[in-house]
Amino acid sequence: MPHSDVDNSKSEPYEEQPGQGLAITAEVLYLTNLLLLPGFAFVALFYVYLRYRNSSASLASCHIRQTFFASLWAGVMLVLVNALIILLGGYQSPSTWIVVILYFTTIHAALVLLGTIGIARAMTGKHFHYPLVGRPCPLASS
Amino acid sequence: MQYQSQAVSKLYFMAAIGLFIGQILFGVILGLQYVIGDFLFPEIPFNVARMVHTNLLIVWLLFGFMGAAYFMVPEEAETELFSPKLAIALFWIFLIAGALTIVGYLAVPYATLANITGNDLLPTMGREFLEQPTITKIGIVIVALGFLFNISMTVLKGRKTAISMVLLLGLWGLAIFFLFSFYNPENLVLDKMYWWWVVHLWVEGVWELILGAILAFVLIKMTGVDREVIEKWLYVIIAMSLITGIIGTGHHFYWIGMPEYWQWWGSIFSALEPIPFFMMVIFAFNMVNRRRREHPNKAAMLWAIGTPVMAFLGAGVWGFMHTLAPVNYYTHGTQITAAHGHMAFYGAYVMVVLAIISYAMPLLRGRAAANSNKSQVLEMWSFWLMTVSMVFITLFLTGAGILQTYLQRVSENPQPFMVVQEKIALFYWMREVAGVIFLIGLILYVMSFFIGGEEEAIA
């Protein structure tokens, strides 16, 4: 068969790209902020951003910028917007809760999915531009 | 095809798609019955339509899993199937038994069906998803034993790979846990507990092994990434599936009379259940990013990438949403459960079966690697129509479930079930529209098999 995996073993060994470790760290912190330790992981990501945002490795710089700005947007969309919906809609109104729960779940899940794609790209040494909530990567050639 | 005996899987895939159409037709009927209560009554009562909808889902997925196994195992084991004739014989037995059971559901009242099939000799009927007459259940066991014998003998005589071992473990687990459907104790608590040993340990246990094995197989074939890399991911994913899924059964034990400690065990372990799906998404994207070839079957790749994403959303996120005991106290058995069930089944199991069908069918039909571009475009349209409409079905049912929970269980003046059902009818109408779009997507999917044209060149 033309696409048998027999040839797979002949593939070249995988090579790590410069800045790949930092890129993965940034993506892990982004996901940790969303899933496990909100706030704490963001502080760590903020530190990484301050220290390495202009890293000579474009891969690291790209992922750090993406994750930092996406985290800021996540804070706005998940905390501020929800607080606003509850404030305007009223705590006792069922329609408020329908909107809040549906909104929070879909936005949170979408942000997590962006992070999973981001970490998969970082693990393979590739740039990734988060759509809408990220920043363009200057040297996003791969 | 690399091995002639793989051809038997074509029969299974065709039956699976046929039954899938039946399932969706009954789903659309059922959705309408939520808002027009006497639609098609008394010909197809609500309880019968629901039973047919869910039973067809299970049966067509089983056909899909069996077809996948008959296609994958010869290639993995690098040998012909132990007995293609047995596989064909079992196919017809299973199809005829399944069809007779559905005809039985539709033709006679359920109680009559129980009488004429001798349920009193070994009572197993009357439980959700396991409504099949005892004689059908015995038939399923015979088919499963024959199937496992055939597959296991093929693996034993050939190469043993991680994928075929994980697949075998999943399939054996599927058959073994089905045996609990024959245990029907008088004690209702025990009855429900063992019922979950079939239902939960299937979909949140051994079926995940089958899902992982199929996905890994398709990704190996399509990306050209080292088998070793993919197998390592597979090991970790299935380990996490079993670690979280087995004790996670506890989330079904909260309110059925089981000890209180299950609220802790169930909550903690089911909160971890999204992890394997989360890993599956990273795994799939990682492999695609590392791909060493551009496979011409783009439709199959779309299904393979879509599977973990939708499984993560449906099984992971929507499962987590109502799995903690304090939340489940309010949401138990509401439309939130239905929302989770729809997206989880579609994402985890429907899509993976469609992924392997999409990969295997062109080869089974004598093509080099892929269908024509025209056919693939239509198939990709069907992917998006079905997937997006399933997202909307889930969102509408979630909206219905939140409102239902609030009006029926949280508000200061809780309202009766049927009163609340009327108040959430708008959500049901929107779900019905999304269901019709899903059906259109399915029709396009079937049509894509009949589009000819020049097949895609091999990259």
Side-chain angles (χ1 to χ4, degrees):
Chain A
M1 196 151 84
H3 282 279
S4 158
D5 62 304
V6 174
D7 298 331
N8 293 12
S9 56
K10 291 177 190 164
S11 50
E12 291 165 18
Y14 184 75
E15 275 182 29
E16 196 173 308
Q17 304 292 317
Q20 196 171 343
L22 263 177
I24 295 171
T25 306
E27 296 289 351
V28 167
L29 287 172
Y30 169 80
L31 284 167
T32 310
N33 183 46
L34 281 174
L35 296 169
L36 282 178
L37 299 166
F40 296 103
F42 179 74
V43 171
L45 181 60
F46 187 40
Y47 170 75
V48 171
Y49 173 76
L50 287 178
R51 183 139 186 218
Y52 299 105
R53 67 181 186 278
N54 295 321
S55 162
S56 57
S58 75
L59 181 71
S61 163
C62 172
H63 281 274
I64 290 168
R65 281 167 186 271
Q66 299 306 308
T67 50
F68 177 70
F69 285 100
S71 296
L72 286 180
W73 273 110
V76 171
M77 289 192 290
L78 295 176
V79 181
L80 288 184
V81 174
N82 269 318
L84 207 66
I85 296 171
I86 294 173
L87 218 68
L88 295 175
Y91 185 77
Q92 295 287 345
S93 161
S95 53
T96 302
W97 289 105
I98 293 172
V99 175
V100 164
I101 295 171
L102 282 179
Y103 172 80
F104 183 87
T105 312
T106 46
I107 295 293
H108 185 257
L111 290 166
V112 172
L113 276 177
L114 286 181
T116 55
I117 299 170
I119 199 170
R121 299 282 294 180
M123 287 165 82
T124 45
K126 291 182 175 172
H127 293 75
F128 179 57
H129 173 214
Y130 279 45
L132 301 175
V133 291
R135 282 286 167 100
C137 292
L139 293 168
S141 55
S142 53
Chain B
M1 272 183 310
Q2 216 170 4
Y3 298 93
Q4 286 307 310
S5 54
Q6 285 177 292
V8 297
S9 58
K10 194 172 166 187
L11 278 176
Y12 283 83
F13 289 150
M14 282 161 58
I17 294 168
L19 295 170
F20 184 23
I21 296 167
Q23 188 221 338
I24 301 309
L25 286 174
F26 273 89
V28 172
I29 291 171
L30 199 52
L32 210 49
Q33 288 180 338
Y34 266 89
V35 277
I36 305 172
D38 56 359
F39 178 67
L40 290 183
F41 186 83
E43 286 77 20
I44 307 177
F46 177 86
N47 64 318
V48 172
R50 186 178 186 278
M51 194 162 62
V52 175
H53 179 63
T54 54
N55 278 222
L56 278 177
L57 167 69
I58 295 165
V59 173
W60 89 255
L61 287 177
L62 291 180
F63 269 109
F65 291 162
M66 288 182 189
Y70 284 131
F71 184 84
M72 288 162 58
V73 167
E75 268 189 40
E76 287 295 297
E78 293 180 337
T79 177
E80 293 288 354
L81 202 59
F82 181 75
S83 172
K85 281 183 184 164
L86 179 62
I88 293 168
L90 291 173
F91 167 79
W92 287 110
I93 294 170
F94 194 29
L95 188 67
I96 291 166
L100 283 177
T101 303
I102 299 297
V103 169
Y105 288 159
L106 293 168
V108 293
Y110 190 67
T112 312
L113 185 66
N115 275 334
I116 57 179
T117 55
N119 185 59
D120 51 334
L121 298 172
L122 177 60
T124 67
M125 293 175 72
R127 291 171 299 166
E128 199 181 6
F129 310 132
L130 302 179
E131 294 97 344
Q132 309 84 36
T134 303
I135 194 162
T136 305
K137 289 195 181 87
I138 293 169
I140 291 172
V141 170
I142 291 168
V143 169
L145 283 176
F147 163 73
L148 287 170
F149 170 74
N150 208 355
I151 291 293
S152 304
M153 291 304 285
T154 311
V155 172
L156 281 175
K157 76 180 170 118
R159 179 178 68 150
K160 282 95 184 152
T161 66
I163 288 179
S164 55
M165 287 302 153
V166 170
L167 183 70
L168 263 188
L169 190 63
L171 293 168
W172 273 98
L174 186 156
I176 288 166
F177 286 116
F178 184 69
L179 294 178
F180 286 101
S181 70
F182 288 92
Y183 184 52
N184 193 5
E186 296 264 321
N187 182 319
L188 200 58
V189 177
L190 281 179
D191 174 35
K192 287 303 277 183
M193 189 188 89
Y194 285 112
W195 179 80
W196 283 117
W197 283 32
V198 183
V199 178
H200 175 97
L201 291 175
W202 265 19
V203 297
E204 289 167 73
V206 291
W207 282 31
E208 284 183 32
L209 307 193
I210 301 169
L211 158 68
I214 297 175
L215 193 61
F217 176 83
V218 173
L219 287 173
I220 281 184
K221 298 292 174 184
M222 301 201 68
T223 63
V225 172
D226 291 359
R227 174 178 282 275
E228 205 181 306
V229 175
I230 288 186
E231 285 179 347
K232 277 179 190 161
W233 274 93
L234 182 62
Y235 282 132
V236 181
I237 289 170
I238 65 147
M240 286 311 298
S241 296
L242 294 177
I243 289 167
T244 59
I246 293 173
I247 302 180
T249 317
H251 63 224
H252 298 293
F253 295 166
Y254 296 158
W255 327 115
I256 65 170
M258 300 283 282
E260 205 176 324
Y261 56 74
W262 278 113
Q263 294 189 15
W264 280 100
W265 285 101
S267 294
I268 292 166
F269 278 83
S270 18
L272 300 174
E273 277 191 62
I275 293 174
F277 293 104
F278 178 71
M279 292 176 70
M280 243 181 250
V281 182
I282 299 177
F283 161 61
F285 278 97
N286 209 325
M287 294 312 114
V288 172
N289 288 331
R290 286 185 182 206
R291 70 185 179 278
R292 297 179 190 278
R293 62 167 77 113
E294 292 297 332
H295 199 284
N297 194 340
K298 293 179 181 64
M301 186 59 106
L302 190 60
W303 287 112
I305 286 291
T307 298
V309 172
M310 291 297 286
F312 169 68
L313 290 176
V317 177
W318 257 259
F320 179 80
M321 192 191 268
H322 64 149
T323 201
L324 302 176
V327 176
N328 194 267
Y329 180 76
Y330 292 100
T331 62
H332 191 88
T334 63
Q335 290 299 327
I336 291 174
T337 311
H340 160 59
H342 276 79
M343 205 195 240
F345 259 105
Y346 177 74
Y349 302 119
V350 171
M351 288 180 84
V352 83
V353 169
L354 297 185
I356 185 77
I357 291 177
S358 187
Y359 171 75
M361 265 302 198
L363 304 170
L364 291 167
R365 297 170 83 193
R367 288 168 187 161
N371 287 329
S372 69
N373 187 49
K374 253 173 132 181
S375 165
Q376 286 195 52
V377 167
L378 198 63
E379 191 179 340
M380 288 191 269
W381 264 98
S382 78
F383 168 91
W384 287 111
L385 278 176
M386 285 198 274
T387 304
V388 172
S389 57
M390 183 51 76
V391 168
F392 279 100
I393 287 173
T394 305
L395 290 175
F396 295 144
L397 286 176
T398 309
I402 298 165
L403 189 55
Q404 181 188 8
T405 304
Y406 193 93
L407 296 176
Q408 210 175 300
R409 296 173 181 176
V410 179
S411 69
E412 283 177 7
N413 300 305
Q415 296 170 41
F417 176 81
M418 286 312 291
V419 172
V420 172
Q421 289 298 304
E422 280 187 17
K423 293 193 172 176
I424 59 179
L426 178 65
F427 287 104
Y428 289 148
W429 274 114
M430 293 193 290
R431 183 269 299 266
E432 181 66 1
V433 173
V436 171
I437 295 170
F438 188 97
L439 178 62
I440 294 169
L442 179 57
I443 292 167
L444 292 188
Y445 177 74
V446 175
M447 280 169 62
S448 74
F449 287 98
F450 298 97
I451 302 278
E454 212 165 291
E455 63 187 84
E456 282 293 284
I458 299 160

